Structures are given as structure tokens and as C-alpha cells.
């Protein structure tokens, strides 16, 4: 549900213009023309393409061109890729105002390459190429007719140096870009590409529409619904936080650590679990610790390429695996054992009908009186066949550990991480929402992760020792925050938001102690001469929650009275009033 992050804002205006700009038309030919339904991953991304800012949803990459390569060799390689992969020959016909339901694969066609020739490339050629690729993300792809790659060839005195590309997320994701990048390099090196073994999109859609595929989708929806009904609605629910439905601009923070790589390898050897599982367990443990939560809910976008039939398919498989990991164990070794099963469970439930998923999310969050936030995203792309975004060029420094700040980008989550490599250095880029993490706290989170891995490599770590081991401190909420339905909630924030929702009518929110750790909320509303009902109050409140401050969850019960008491800040005074109407407002108890 999230695209590969942009690395920053367009900086082309800071660089000297090219000497010449030309457009080359390139022909391609593949197999037969084909037509079929869209895949679940395509439908998911098309939904975002039609709704979101193109600079957020389109994706990009930069492919270095070896010295001595001719422009014709570059265009020939690009033509070969288009002919080889059906996903690159795919368009999505649809009527205006409607979302596509079919995909059409062309047997042949043409695309264009914009050639920017320079006397010499700017001082940092790789950064310049990156800015050109980023700029190409602007503008929505015309799904029904446009070739899904915008290609710019950067040359110096006619000599190719970089190919800068922007992709429609309907046909490619980060994994697909890495596959294409690898194959492009092999073609330029004169190598013969192997036979394709993964399914093209039309065939993948047929598998998904089979009885087994539909059962898998139904199981995924049930898995997600259970988490949405019982898990925390915000990971970072705290006084300074903002709702996960509001974007912030966050700077990229990158860790490159040989210490981290050695620690991760050592922790994997000691625990007997794969490095990916150890890193996921450490990530979830530290996120939950920092958030002050008993569990970690994190989206894992790259998880759905674990099956051979899609591992190397050039298409988009962008559907989240949603990991809900209970961190309530005594030690890290117990957690990493639990993580293995939880990750597999999440992976198994990462294929679903995205339209039905979002319908279900809307229904469940309205019934629960909440707003589910995709607060945390962890994308481990270290196992991809080629490094993304030129990371190999940045890994030549011999520093034992370094943190570097990059440019900002709009962040629709609270915490986004990309793991690009785990050896020879642990290479992670982090985008942390400024409302929740100061720059020092973001740096401390990544360095704390390395300290955590070093401690785990040396021996089992008590979960209660995380603050001491990592230096990361849990969120501070104050005594007025409490647990409601497994979520951290501020009754004061609920009262203020509910008051706005009902047009400024007097409101009081009472905390009722319930069995177990959770409390329950009862809202009293003095409706005066209005005809307000509990159901109307609930609907008005849930409509405001996505843009409200952090810590707002609907009360379990609404009690309507005529006028407020003379002492409106006392629960017992509200309880003594005559009740006009009462009800849950929720159509289903949770």
C-alpha cells in the first residue's frame, strides 16, 4: 500500500541545462496480444494511482550505464526488456470516472526515450540522475494508453552515463525495478537472460481468481479484520502525536553500520533463526517499546514475493502483509521464536481483494469508533536480486558506523524503514514523523537498534531491559491516558473531539473501570432542544477522528440528557441527571 519512497525534491533547476534534448522512438515486440482481469496487486495500486498525488505513488530508479556503451545498445536493451515482460506492455482500459477491471497486453508497440546530452555532467552525476528520475514522477500515468515507463537517457558528449526512469506503480514495484535493473545490466554485458519462471500478470490474475485463490483472499480478509478489531489503532498514540491519516514531511535518515551487520549475523547464529527474522523481531520489539505498547502492528510490503510464482515477476505485488506481534514475553529469544510464526501467518494473508479490504476497514473502524493507522512500515528489500536506488555506490566508505540525513518527503505513516542491505554493512533508511520523533530521537532509534542487536548477539536480553540496553525511552503520556479496547486513549481528547462533533453541545466523558487492564468510556451529552441520537453522535465523532489529535476512540456508550449539571466537571453530577436516550452507537460490539 505504499510506494518506494522518493529520495527528495526535484533539484534539476540547480544543474546546468543539457546541450541538446532529443526524443528517440523505440520499437518492441513480444508474444501475443492478451487480455484478462487485473491482479489484486494491480487493483490495489490503481486505486492509489487514481486517488493520490502522482509524486507520491509513482516510483523511480536510476540505472548506471557502463563506460563505452553506445546509445543503440541502451535502447536495444530497453526494447528487449519491454518485449520480454508482459507487465511492461500492459495498459488498463477504463471508462472515465471508473477504475479499470481489465488489463490488455500488447504484442508490439513503441515507446520513447528522452536523451539529454551534456558537455559534462554536474558535479555529482548520480545525484543529478536521481533528480531527473524524481522529476519524471510528476504527472499521473494515463493507465489506458501510456507506456508505463518514462525513460530519460543522460549522456555526456554522446556517451551514455545513466538511465533515469519513472514507473507506473500499476505495473512495477520495488522488486520489479530491481529485477529490470539487473537484467538491463546483464544485457549490456552481453549475457543471455534465462527463461522466465514467474507468472506474468494475466496468468497471476487467473490463479488469484481460482477457487484456491479466492479462499486465500477470504482468509486474508478474516485475518486483517481480527487485527483491526482487536489491535491498537495507532502505534504512536501520545500527546504530541498526530493522527495517522495526516501526512507530515520527514527527512530521510540513513544508517550504514558494519557493527550492525556483524551483530545481526552473530544474533542469527546464536538464536538459530534467519537474519530477516531476527531483524524483524528486534524492529518490532523496539517499536513497541518506544510506543509503550504491548504489541507491534507493522505493515510489511515486500512480504508477498515469497512464493516462486511471483518472486521474479515484473508486475506490482504491492499488498501489505500485516504483522501483529505480541511482545509480552520475558526475553528476546522467546520473542524471536514467536516472530517466526507470526511473520509466516502475515505472509500467508497478504493476498486479498483490495477493494473489499478497504470496504472492510471502513466498516470495522466505523463500528469500533476508531481510525486504523498504517503507522509503521518495515520494508526489507535486502534479498532482492539487485540493490535499489544505487545503494552499492554509497557503500564504499569504510566507516564502522555512520548516520546521514537526506532530503525530506511527504510521509503518510509515522515510521517508515527500508532495509537495503544486511552485509557487509547494515544499511537502513528511516523516515520518522517529526511530531513523534525529534531528529535526536530518530538517530537514537537507529543506533539503539544496533546496540540491541549487539546485546542479542552476546546473549538473551530481558525485554524489560530495552531502555537500558538501547537508550530508547518509551513514550510519555501522563496519568490521564488509559487503555481502551487495546488502544491508548485520552479521555480529554475524546471529550473535546466529541464536543466539536455535536456542534458544541456540553459533553462529559466518564471512565468506567472494567475487568482486566482495559477501561470503558461513557459519554454524557446535554442535547438541549436538539433531536440528537446516540447513533448520530457516534457517526459525527467517527467522521472527525481521522483528522483529530492522537488518542481519540469512540465511547462504548452515549447517554443523552437535557441540560448539563451545575457542576459539569463531575461524573456523579452527570449520572444523577434524567436520561433521555442512550445507546452504543456502534453496530457491533468489540
Amino acid at each position: 500500500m505504499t510506494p518506494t519512497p522518493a529520495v527528495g525534491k526535484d533539484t534539476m533547476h540547480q544543474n546546468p541545462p543539457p546541450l541538446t534534448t532529443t526524443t528517440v522512438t523505440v520499437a518492441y515486440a513480444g508474444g501475443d496480444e492478451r487480455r484478462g482481469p487485473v491482479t489484486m496487486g494491480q487493483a490495489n495500486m490503481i486505486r492509489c494511482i487514481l486517488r493520490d498525488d502522482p509524486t507520491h505513488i509513482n516510483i523511480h530508479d536510476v540505472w548506471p550505464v557502463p563506460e563505452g556503451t553506445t546509445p543503440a545498445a541502451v535502447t536495444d536493451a530497453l526494447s528487449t526488456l519491454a518485449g520480454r515482460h508482459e507487465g511492461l506492455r500492459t495498459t488498463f482500459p477504463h471508462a472515465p470516472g471508473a477504475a479499470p477491471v481489465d488489463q490488455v497486453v500488447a504484442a508490439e508497440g513503441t515507446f520513447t526515450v528522452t536523451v539529454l546530452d551534456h558537455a559534462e555532467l554536474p558535479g555529482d552525476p548520480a545525484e543529478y540522475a536521481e533528480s531527473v528520475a524524481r522529476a519524471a514522477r510528476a504527472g499521473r500515468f494515463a493507465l489506458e494508453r501510456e507506456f508505463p515507463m518514462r525513460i530519460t537517457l543522460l549522456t555526456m558528449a554522446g556517451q551514455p552515463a545513466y538511465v533515469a526512469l519513472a514507473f507506473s506503480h500499476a505495473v512495477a514495484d520495488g522488486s520489479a525495478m530491481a529485477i529490470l535493473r539487473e537484467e538491463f545490466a546483464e544485457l549490456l554485458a552481453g549475457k543471455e537472460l534465462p527463461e522466465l519462471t514467474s507468472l506474468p500478470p494475466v496468468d497471476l490474475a487467473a490463479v488469484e481468481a481460482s477457487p484456491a485463490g479466492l479462499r486465500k483472499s477470504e482468509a486474508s480478509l478474516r485475518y486483517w479484520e481480527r487485527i483491526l478489531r482487536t489491535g491498537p489503532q495507532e502505534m504512536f498514540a501520545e500527546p504530541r502525536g498526530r493522527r495517522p491519516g495526516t501526512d507530515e514531511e520527514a527527512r530521510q535518515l540513513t544508517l550504514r553500520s558494519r557493527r550492525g551487520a556483524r551483530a545481526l549475523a552473530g544474533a542469527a547464529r546464536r538464536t538459530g533463526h534467519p537474519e530477516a527474522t531476527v531483524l524483524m523481531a528486534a524492529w518490532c520489539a523496539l517499536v513497541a517499546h518506544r510506543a509503550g505498547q504491548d504489541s507491534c502492528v507493522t505493515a510489511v510490503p515486500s512480504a508477498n514475493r515469497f512464493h516462486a510464482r511471483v518472486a521474479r515477476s515484473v508486475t506490482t505485488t504491492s499488498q501489505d502483509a500485516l504483522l501483529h506481534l505480541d511482545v509480552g514475553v520475558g526475553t528476546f529469544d522467546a520473542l524471536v521464536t514467536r516472530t517466526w510464526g507470526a511473520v509466516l501467518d502475515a505472509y500467508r494473508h497478504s493476498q486479498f481483494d483490495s477493494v473489499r479490504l478497504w470496504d472492510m476497514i471502513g466498516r470495522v473502524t466505523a463500528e469500533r469508533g476508531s481510525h486504523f493507522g498504517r503507522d509503521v512500515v518495515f520494508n526489507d528489500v535486502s534479498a532482492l536480486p539487485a540493490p535499489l536506488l544505487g545503494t552499492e555506490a554509497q557503500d564504499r566508505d569504510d566507516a564502522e558506523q555512520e548516520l546521514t540525513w537526506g532530503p525530506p518527503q511527504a510521509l503518510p505513516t509515522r515510521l517508515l524503514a527500508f532495509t537495503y542491505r544486511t552485509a557487509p554493512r547494515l544499511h537502513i533508511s528511516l523516515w520518522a514523523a517529526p511530531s513523534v520523533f525529534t531528529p535526536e530521537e530518530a538517530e537514537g532509534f537507529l543506533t539503539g537498534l544496533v546496540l540491541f542487536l549487539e546485546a542479542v548477539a552476546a546473549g538473551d536480553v530481558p525485554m524489560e531491559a530495552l531502555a537500558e540496553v538501547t537508550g530508547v525511552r518509551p513514550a510519555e503520556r501522563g496519568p490521564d491516558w488509559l487503555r481502551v479496547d487495546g488502544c491508548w486513549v485520552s479521555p480529554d481528547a475524546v471529550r473535546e473531539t466529541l464536543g466539536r462533533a455535536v456542534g458544541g453541545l456540553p459533553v462529559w466523558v466518564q471512565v468506567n473501570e472494567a475487568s482486566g487492564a482495559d477501561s470503558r468510556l461513557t459519554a454524557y451529552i446535554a442535547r438541549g432542544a436538539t433531536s440528537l441520537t446516540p447513533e448520530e453522535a457516534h457517526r459525527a465523532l467517527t467522521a472527525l477522528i481521522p483528522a483529530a489529535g492522537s488518542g481519540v476512540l469512540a465511547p462504548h456508550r452515549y447517554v443523552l440528557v437535557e441540560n448539563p449539571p451545575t457542576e459539569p466537571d463531575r461524573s456523579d453530577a452527570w449520572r444523577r441527571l434524567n436520561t433521555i436516550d442512550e445507546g452504543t452507537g456502534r453496530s457491533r460490539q468489540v
Side-chain angles (χ1 to χ4, degrees):
M1 295 183 184
T2 190
T4 304
V7 179
K9 296 181 177 177
D10 179 21
T11 57
M12 289 182 63
H13 66 279
Q14 301 172 2
N15 297 302
L19 291 175
T20 62
T21 301
T22 57
T23 301
V24 177
T25 300
V26 181
Y28 64 83
D32 299 329
E33 181 175 329
R34 307 180 69 199
R35 186 182 186 114
V38 296
T39 67
M40 292 179 179
Q42 288 170 335
N44 186 42
M45 295 319 302
I46 286 171
R47 177 182 178 275
C48 299
I49 289 168
L50 296 176
R51 180 197 63 192
D52 295 346
D53 185 328
T55 60
H56 295 172
I57 193 64
N58 295 337
I59 56 177
H60 75 281
D61 202 4
V62 173
W63 300 348
V65 179
E67 188 175 351
T69 304
T70 65
V74 172
T75 55
D76 285 349
L78 292 168
S79 175
T80 298
L81 292 176
R84 173 177 168 84
H85 296 289
E86 289 189 8
L88 300 183
R89 296 184 272 117
T90 297
T91 53
F92 304 90
H94 61 102
V101 295
D102 290 325
Q103 57 182 312
V104 173
V105 181
E108 58 185 11
T110 61
F111 59 86
T112 59
V113 176
T114 301
V115 182
L116 303 182
D117 191 39
H118 305 72
E120 61 179 59
L121 293 175
D124 189 336
E127 183 178 330
Y128 170 61
E130 179 72 27
S131 73
V132 173
R134 276 200 312 275
R137 291 171 65 149
R140 208 176 305 277
F141 274 89
L143 295 169
E144 71 281 5
R145 56 180 170 79
E146 187 176 354
F147 187 72
M149 296 195 306
R150 297 169 182 163
I151 308 169
T152 305
L153 176 60
L154 304 180
T155 63
M156 187 172 66
Q159 173 64 48
Y162 294 95
V163 180
L165 307 103
F167 292 81
S168 165
H169 217 331
V171 304
D173 54 17
S175 299
M177 289 196 304
I179 293 163
L180 292 170
R181 195 174 198 254
E182 178 188 54
E183 292 186 348
F184 177 74
E186 291 180 348
L187 288 169
L188 294 185
K191 297 179 181 179
E192 185 175 343
L193 298 181
E195 291 292 323
L196 296 174
T197 56
S198 293
L199 295 177
V202 171
D203 294 334
L204 178 59
V207 171
E208 292 174 344
S210 69
L214 294 176
R215 287 194 298 271
K216 184 177 182 67
S217 177
E218 291 294 332
S220 297
L221 293 175
R222 289 193 298 271
Y223 169 88
W224 275 70
E225 183 166 355
R226 185 178 72 251
I227 295 173
L228 292 172
R229 288 196 181 279
T230 60
Q233 294 295 285
E234 323 170 60
M235 282 303 297
F236 298 105
E238 52 188 272
R240 60 176 170 169
R242 287 160 63 174
R243 290 298 305 190
T246 56
D247 290 1
E248 297 183 61
E249 195 169 74
R251 293 179 64 195
Q252 178 182 9
L253 175 62
T254 299
L255 167 79
R256 297 183 181 89
S257 174
R258 295 187 185 277
R259 285 175 50 190
R262 288 194 300 269
L264 180 57
R269 284 193 302 270
R270 191 191 65 77
T271 62
H273 287 277
E275 288 187 2
T277 306
V278 173
L279 185 58
M280 181 67 77
W283 165 264
C284 288
L286 198 57
V287 167
H289 166 73
R290 166 61 182 78
Q293 301 278 12
D294 295 333
S295 63
C296 176
V297 177
T298 184
V300 190
S302 61
N304 40 16
R305 281 188 178 263
F306 68 98
H307 197 287
R309 66 173 175 242
V310 293
R312 290 187 62 85
S313 182
V314 173
T315 185
T316 185
T317 63
S318 291
Q319 293 186 280
D320 284 344
L322 188 66
L323 175 64
H324 184 201
L325 183 61
D326 183 352
V327 299
V329 293
T331 68
F332 180 82
D333 285 8
L335 180 65
V336 76
T337 299
R338 176 179 290 182
T339 302
W340 174 253
V343 167
L344 289 179
D345 205 22
Y347 285 7
R348 283 195 297 266
H349 296 101
S350 60
Q351 176 186 309
F352 44 78
D353 182 327
S354 59
V355 174
R356 290 188 59 199
L357 175 75
W358 283 104
D359 287 345
M360 182 268 289
I361 289 175
R363 183 182 71 255
V364 170
T365 53
E367 290 171 357
R368 194 179 184 189
S370 61
H371 178 77
F372 172 71
R374 193 171 176 267
D375 255 8
V376 183
V377 181
F378 185 77
N379 208 350
D380 186 347
V381 296
S382 61
L384 293 184
L388 287 170
L389 303 180
T391 56
E392 78 286 355
Q394 301 167 338
D395 277 347
R396 295 172 184 164
D397 196 322
D398 291 330
E400 186 73 356
Q401 180 163 297
E402 62 179 4
L403 286 170
T404 55
W405 284 96
Q409 75 164 71
L411 188 70
T413 68
R414 300 286 79 89
L415 195 67
L416 167 66
F418 271 70
T419 300
Y420 293 113
R421 284 189 170 185
T422 57
R425 293 199 289 179
L426 182 61
H427 179 176
I428 299 176
S429 285
L430 183 77
W431 289 260
S435 65
V436 180
F437 290 83
T438 66
E440 293 76 19
E441 287 172 330
E443 292 180 352
F445 188 88
L446 283 181
T447 56
L449 182 64
V450 173
L451 292 170
F452 190 14
L453 291 172
E454 288 178 330
V456 170
D460 199 3
V461 175
M463 295 294 286
E464 63 183 16
L466 282 184
E468 178 183 353
V469 168
T470 67
V472 175
R473 303 295 172 188
E476 296 181 1
R477 294 189 175 88
D480 57 319
W481 285 66
L482 47 84
R483 291 274 204 174
V484 177
D485 281 355
C487 304
W488 281 107
V489 173
S490 166
D492 287 343
V494 175
R495 183 176 71 247
E496 187 275 331
T497 307
L498 179 57
R500 286 192 289 117
V502 296
L505 294 175
V507 170
W508 178 255
V509 174
Q510 176 184 321
V511 178
N512 305 100
E513 296 297 331
S515 59
D518 274 12
S519 299
R520 297 174 70 85
L521 301 179
T522 298
Y524 290 86
I525 306 172
R527 76 175 191 180
T530 71
S531 59
L532 183 73
T533 67
E535 292 76 15
E536 290 170 343
H538 181 78
R539 284 196 299 270
L541 174 61
T542 54
L544 287 187
I545 284 177
S550 187
V552 179
L553 193 72
H556 294 83
R557 184 166 162 258
Y558 298 86
V559 177
L560 303 183
V561 299
E562 186 173 1
N563 296 306
T566 55
E567 297 177 282
D569 57 349
R570 294 185 52 152
S571 292
D572 58 344
W574 285 89
R575 287 198 301 268
R576 287 195 295 267
L577 298 175
N578 291 328
T579 298
I580 298 174
D581 195 3
E582 62 180 311
T584 178
R586 305 181 183 200
S587 58
R588 174 172 170 174
Q589 292 293 328
V590 293

